[in-house]
Amino acid sequence: MKLIDKLAVLADAAKYDASCASSGTSHRNSLDGKGIGSAGGTGICHSYTPDGRCVSLLKILLTNFCIYECSYCVNRASSQVRKARFSVAEVVKLTLDFYRRNYIEGLFLSSGIINNEDYTMEQLILVAKDLRLKHGFRGYIHLKTIPDASPELLKEAGRYADRLSINIELPTQQSLQKLAPEKSLQGITSTMSRLKSGIEEAKEQHKNHTRISNQKTRSRLVFAPAGQSSQMIIGADDSTDGTILKTTDRLYSRYRMRRVYYSAFSPIPDASSALPLQAPPLVREHRLYQADWLLRFYGFRTDEIVPTQGTDAGMLDLHIDPKLAWAIRHRDWFPVNINRAPLELLLRVPGIGARTAYKITTVRKHRLLRLADLQKLRVPLKKCRPFIETLDHTPNSQLLEHDNLRAQFVPPVQQELALFQSTASMVFS
Amino acid sequence: MNIDGVRDFKTWRQHARDLLRQQVHPTTINWAGDQQTQLAFAEPIQIQESTSAYPPTKTQVPANFLKLARAAACYRDDDRWALLYSLLWRLTHDEPHLLHLITDPEVRRLRHMAQAVRRDAHKMHAFVRFKKQQIDGQDWYVAWFEPNHLIVPDTADFFIRRFNTMNWSILTPDACAHWDQQQLKLTEGCEKPTDIDCTGDDMDDYWRQYYRHIFNPARLKTRAMQSEMPKKYWHNLPEAELINELTQGSGQLTEQMLRNATRHPDHLRQKSKRLREQQDRIRAKNEILNHPITE
């Protein structure tokens, strides 16, 4: 098969991995006149495809042959899609050629499992090693680790990769057993633990090194400076949003993930009959991301974000964002006084983002705020007006007590459909 | 008072220091010299050392002001020098906390300008596309780009750090940056070259192939794409020519995927003994992991 045809097959195979991050790694450049590339700081999205996703990395599989039978996966053993395999040299060449033309920030390499786990992991490492050592590549490398790969191989992968990831795939052990019988929660989480300790060891050494020599010198031990991440498939099993977010929370607190990605399972070519027929609406994925943000940056707990009782227990409201939904369930917290409330409370106000909340605390040291000031900070007044007090505004107390407060925020159905075009609903309606 | 010839941050800063020393009020200065929105290529304009009788005072401004001002100086707007001086005046005359007043009109304008310039630079880092050419027997990577603001000199640094070991030129209507692995040369802007000869460089074909296949037709979100990659950039992006085709074809492709018969997950296991054995070995191992034998 020609290289350009392999590229088609192995990009097709890689597109269901949502991550394309290239940010937050160590600062590097090629000013020393050796090698090529730079990294560090914010990532760069070099392009966007019509699915709205950014293209930052060359995201491909080394091969889409695989002995695993994960029902949700386009590359599972029984899938009849075209199969191909890159050689190590081909991936290295493509990465460098793309990089030199400024198409990409680097490489995101994953693979189907061939022969066995360690063999596959070795192949991935060979690519990264070649790029780093032979070509002095200083761009970004994200390697997908293979479940159950040996600790020695993980260590080596961490030396060359900026980020390592292993997908949790499904929120519960039961779902994993049913839909991905070759994977086990235990195997996945033990890899996560190893990555975590590798990352922390390198960080610790770097810190100590800096402290002792009192100047910034390069620390010897390098291990995935951009941390680890994971991905969960939404809608392939019947787990509730509550279950999903609890798993997410565990991934953040126990394994110090930089990011957990959600991927609403979408129609794939040659699907397995073990999957539900209808894909979940894309808006569910969107709400989970919003909830994820509340967990990480807004001081919410999982049991606050998802309603624990009532008809919708365990599920996020698809029509309004999770913070607004929380506020409607907890009206006794409001109104919040914009000029006096502590930052933690400002963060709870619907429509006020983390940055805006911080900005408010800076401005109000010098000047008390009015509604017009909030407008200048681009706060959506319509959303937050019922919940706040400013110098010139006190919310109508009846409004906060109104039975149907939620109805004020729910957009008409048509608008909703246009906002989140889910192909499944387009096709079936 | 008329101030002419300010074209970059450095010359503005020299003038501003001088004016501040002489306590010249912002409203008495006319910064509108000619051709303000062009970049300086000739020798930097020599500023005469201050001959004023006032003793030089050390003016202190927040570091953040310099950062914002440096960015805003690249904004394509004749009024930027006056705005910067007015802010500098206020910062040094009883309003040291001015930058915290995000709702102040001048501060908002400054932040808006700096933000727009940063975004423009970020988009330039992202959307410059090099084509490999042969110039005097050497590989030379050439790009044409049309930035909104006057950012070529400031963004060149990014490309040097990244592509230090390549020869490259970035051509724009305002200025062109050239790097020969030794030094940076800035030259005047040019028209879009019609003759970038890239015969022999077929990487754009590979790039388009990748773009076509990394796209997921089942999740069409063209508005999300356009908010991050507005149409004005499309004509210089080799992959953009595929956008319409991919968008229009997506519905049919997805429908086809949904119509296709699904397959039972075990159908290949039943046929292939080898696969069955490989999978059973792994499944048996998992069985032990999932239900550890307790003694």
Side-chain angles (χ1 to χ4, degrees), chain A residues 3-5 7-8 11-12 14-16 28-31 33-39 42-53 55 57-60 66-69 71 77-78 80 93-94 97-105 115 117 148 173 177 181-187 264 266-274 277 282 285 359 362-363 366-367 373 376-377 418-419 421 423-424 427-428, chain B residues 97 100-105 108 111-112 122-132 141 157-166 201 203-226 228-229 237-239 242-243 246-247 250-251 254-255 257-258 260-269 271 274-275 278-283 285-287 289-291:
Chain A
L3 185 61
I4 199 158
D5 298 322
L7 181 59
D12 265 331
K15 72 174 95 176
Y16 301 99
R28 303 186 294 260
N29 59 59
S30 43
L31 287 178
K34 291 178 213 138
I36 182 165
S38 61
T42 53
I44 298 173
C45 299
H46 285 270
S47 194
Y48 288 82
T49 42
D51 52 21
R53 288 191 177 173
V55 182
L57 304 170
L58 170 62
K59 185 168 21 176
I60 45 176
C66 190
I67 55 174
Y68 282 22
E69 182 64 31
S71 299
S78 70
Q80 301 289 297
K93 183 183 178 323
L94 271 178
D97 278 339
F98 274 21
Y99 196 83
R100 288 201 184 96
R101 283 154 188 83
N102 204 39
Y103 301 152
I104 52 168
E105 288 294 287
N115 296 348
E117 286 84 356
D148 264 352
Q173 160 79 37
Q177 226 164 328
E182 284 77 29
K183 293 198 174 181
S184 78
L185 190 63
Q186 190 63 38
S266 71
I268 51 171
D270 196 44
S272 158
S273 61
L277 264 179
L282 288 185
E285 181 189 293
K359 276 186 194 166
T362 351
V363 179
H366 308 282
R367 169 188 298 177
D373 294 316
K376 281 183 196 158
L377 292 170
L419 262 175
Q421 307 149 322
T423 325
V427 171
F428 287 124
Chain B
H97 302 297
H100 290 166
L101 303 179
I102 305 167
T103 50
D104 178 275
R108 279 184 76 205
R111 287 185 181 271
H112 166 80
H122 188 73
K123 291 298 178 199
M124 181 162 170
H125 298 158
F127 296 151
V128 156
R129 295 282 183 267
F130 287 116
K131 292 184 194 302
K132 188 163 86 172
Y141 291 82
D157 188 50
F158 167 86
F159 291 99
I160 293 172
R161 294 164 67 82
R162 175 160 291 194
F163 300 116
N164 188 275
T165 52
M166 278 164 36
D201 189 16
M203 262 306 134
D204 277 355
D205 294 336
Y206 284 81
W207 173 238
R208 275 188 289 262
Q209 177 84 326
Y210 175 65
Y211 184 83
R212 177 190 294 279
H213 289 275
I214 204 67
F215 164 61
N216 183 351
R219 311 176 49 114
L220 200 62
K221 279 190 187 176
T222 47
R223 260 196 283 177
M225 167 188 67
Q226 280 194 37
E228 293 299 336
M229 194 167 83
L237 294 169
E239 68 272 26
L242 298 176
I243 290 174
L246 293 178
T247 307
S250 68
T254 313
E255 212 170 331
M257 285 194 278
L258 287 166
N260 276 350
T262 55
R263 244 178 260 269
H264 193 272
D266 283 344
H267 81 98
L268 197 66
R269 266 172 71 81
K271 273 195 277 181
R274 181 156 169 256
L275 179 69
Q278 279 176 319
Q279 290 183 341
D280 285 344
R281 205 171 51 240
I282 303 168
R283 289 179 191 189
K285 199 176 67 191
N286 286 344
E287 195 60 30
L289 277 173
N290 293 338
H291 305 284

Side-chain angles (χ1 to χ4, degrees), chain A residues 409-420:
Chain A
F409 300 102
V410 179
V413 182
Q414 270 77 8
Q415 235 172 310
E416 187 77 4
L417 271 179
L419 262 175
F420 302 100

